[in-house]
Amino acid sequence: MRSLGQSARPVLACGEVRTGLLPSFQALDGRAAAQLLRLRADEHVRVSERPNLYALSPDVLTGVDCRLPTSNGAKVRAVGTVAARAVLTEGRVLQATAYFSAPAAGPDLRRPWGHYLVRPGLVEPFGKLPEQAAAEGVLRGGARGELDLGMIAEGLLAQLVRHPLLDHKAPFKSRRTHLRWAARRAPEGERASLERFTLAENGLRTVELRLPEDTPVAAAAGLCEDLALHDWLLTTVVHMLDSSRLGAADGPSAVLALRPAVDHLLHLWMPHAHVDHTLVHLWEVLEREPGFTRQWQTLVQRIRDQLAVQAIPLLHEALSTSTR
């Protein structure tokens, strides 16, 4: 794994992605998306219109000096900077990610802040890093006084949703999801692998990766943003279908409940559209089990079938009226 601007090669990279609906009645176009995500005056927002509208903010840094979460209770103090960035897809789905990388070992004494600032997104442990325990600790979530990536990502989201461009009139109700990920170094000569994807309670997902030494940490963050986006789409459409009470509610009510999916979400499904080419093959794992696209296609077909069924009596009524 390769981070920006530091000499020590990281052996661990971790992050958390928060994903939710942009609180705006109208989707933002490319120009407005760039305004929203302009987190720094010295760097431009990257905006791509193909194959879909995708805007990526520059990174902003948060200085940290705290313990790393560990699964075995080891007290590992670490100092450095956590990188955070935001993504807006099709002007509709907003994501914030906080992530860092860490080397196998760090100094025994704290260095001046200038040392850490020229190594963006790198957090150095005091002494040796317990890689497995730290990875498991991040996936579990930090306790009080430990590094909390979710809090940093949530803080960035809170900053963005206060932007005057947003009217806070979302076209439908939805829930946020959060995805935590941890990537350890892959054995030499092996390519990247997705070891585990887990659905937990309260909208939490966890991802465990193995990455070659030369994989940029930002590429891992981009992969996990893409996974989080498509998981959020699945979760949201499933919730819409459940709320529509198909087969129980009357026709117009069911159509009204499903219309937001048609208007705002169905066209967003585009796996690995903006994922680094060296990591695209990891999507194949999720396509086999649990079968993301297969499940999505089933949901889309259910929605289309329901709309078609509800259209039949309306068409019959229109024909009857025209023949009178």
Side-chain angles (χ1 to χ4, degrees):
M1 292 170 286
R2 177 162 48 88
S3 190
L4 298 175
Q6 93 277 347
S7 55
R9 289 284 188 176
V11 296
L12 176 68
C14 300
E16 183 161 338
V17 189
R18 299 289 174 104
T19 304
L21 184 68
L22 186 74
S24 172
F25 187 76
Q26 296 291 338
L28 301 189
D29 59 19
R31 184 174 180 180
Q35 285 182 260
L36 175 70
L37 300 188
R38 194 171 184 229
L39 302 180
R40 294 172 51 173
D42 60 334
E43 285 195 40
H44 293 294
V45 175
R46 288 172 47 198
V47 179
S48 171
E49 296 184 351
R50 299 289 184 274
N52 58 4
L53 182 58
Y54 172 87
L56 174 65
S57 79
D59 283 358
V60 291
L61 301 179
T62 299
V64 296
D65 181 348
C66 58
R67 295 198 314 272
L68 293 177
T70 57
S71 60
N72 60 4
K75 292 180 170 56
V76 181
R77 181 185 172 190
V79 184
T81 59
V82 171
R85 67 186 196 179
V87 176
L88 186 64
T89 302
E90 283 293 342
R92 181 58 73 193
V93 183
L94 180 63
Q95 297 177 282
T97 301
Y99 65 97
F100 73 92
S101 60
D108 294 326
L109 297 175
R110 193 180 186 282
R111 296 175 177 176
W113 267 115
H115 168 85
Y116 303 107
L117 291 175
V118 297
R119 294 163 173 79
L122 182 73
V123 172
E124 294 183 344
F126 279 32
K128 187 176 180 181
L129 176 73
E131 298 173 33
Q132 183 65 30
E136 292 172 352
V138 169
L139 295 177
R140 181 196 62 194
R144 186 179 182 87
E146 296 177 338
L147 179 59
D148 188 341
L149 296 175
M151 184 174 66
I152 296 173
E154 192 66 32
L156 178 55
L157 273 183
Q159 173 188 335
L160 291 169
V161 299
R162 290 195 299 266
H163 199 285
L165 277 172
L166 307 180
D167 58 18
H168 294 273
K169 297 178 181 179
F172 59 92
K173 293 182 179 179
S174 64
R175 302 170 184 170
R176 285 183 185 171
T177 59
H178 48 293
L179 181 147
R180 295 178 187 145
W181 58 272
R184 299 179 65 196
R185 186 183 293 178
E188 188 173 353
E190 294 188 11
R191 67 176 186 167
S193 62
L194 196 158
E195 303 289 299
R196 186 175 290 111
F197 178 88
T198 305
L199 296 178
E201 296 179 349
N202 300 318
L204 172 65
R205 288 83 172 98
T206 61
V207 174
E208 298 175 50
L209 302 166
R210 288 279 188 169
L211 300 177
E213 184 179 7
D214 61 350
T215 302
V217 177
L223 168 70
C224 292
E225 287 162 350
D226 195 55
L227 298 180
L229 168 66
H230 290 84
D231 172 77
W232 180 86
L233 288 171
L234 275 173
T235 301
T236 302
V237 172
V238 166
H239 180 70
M240 283 183 176
L241 282 166
D242 290 344
S243 300
S244 71
R245 298 171 58 236
L246 288 182
D250 63 300
S253 296
V255 170
L256 194 62
L258 295 176
R259 181 171 177 175
V262 177
D263 290 345
H264 305 290
L265 300 181
L266 297 191
H267 63 290
L268 300 186
W269 192 263
M270 207 168 292
H272 58 74
H274 301 281
V275 173
D276 188 280
H277 68 93
T278 62
L279 301 178
V280 167
H281 68 278
L282 298 183
W283 255 101
E284 298 172 6
V285 178
L286 295 177
E287 297 295 24
R288 290 194 303 268
E289 180 68 35
F292 267 38
T293 296
R294 184 168 63 250
Q295 183 182 1
W296 178 258
Q297 290 171 344
T298 300
L299 294 173
V300 170
Q301 192 59 51
R302 285 185 65 195
I303 291 172
R304 289 175 175 165
D305 289 346
Q306 180 66 19
L307 295 179
V309 167
Q310 299 305 327
I312 292 173
L314 295 176
L315 179 60
H316 184 269
E317 182 180 347
L319 291 173
S320 299
T321 303
S322 65
T323 56
R324 288 174 187 171

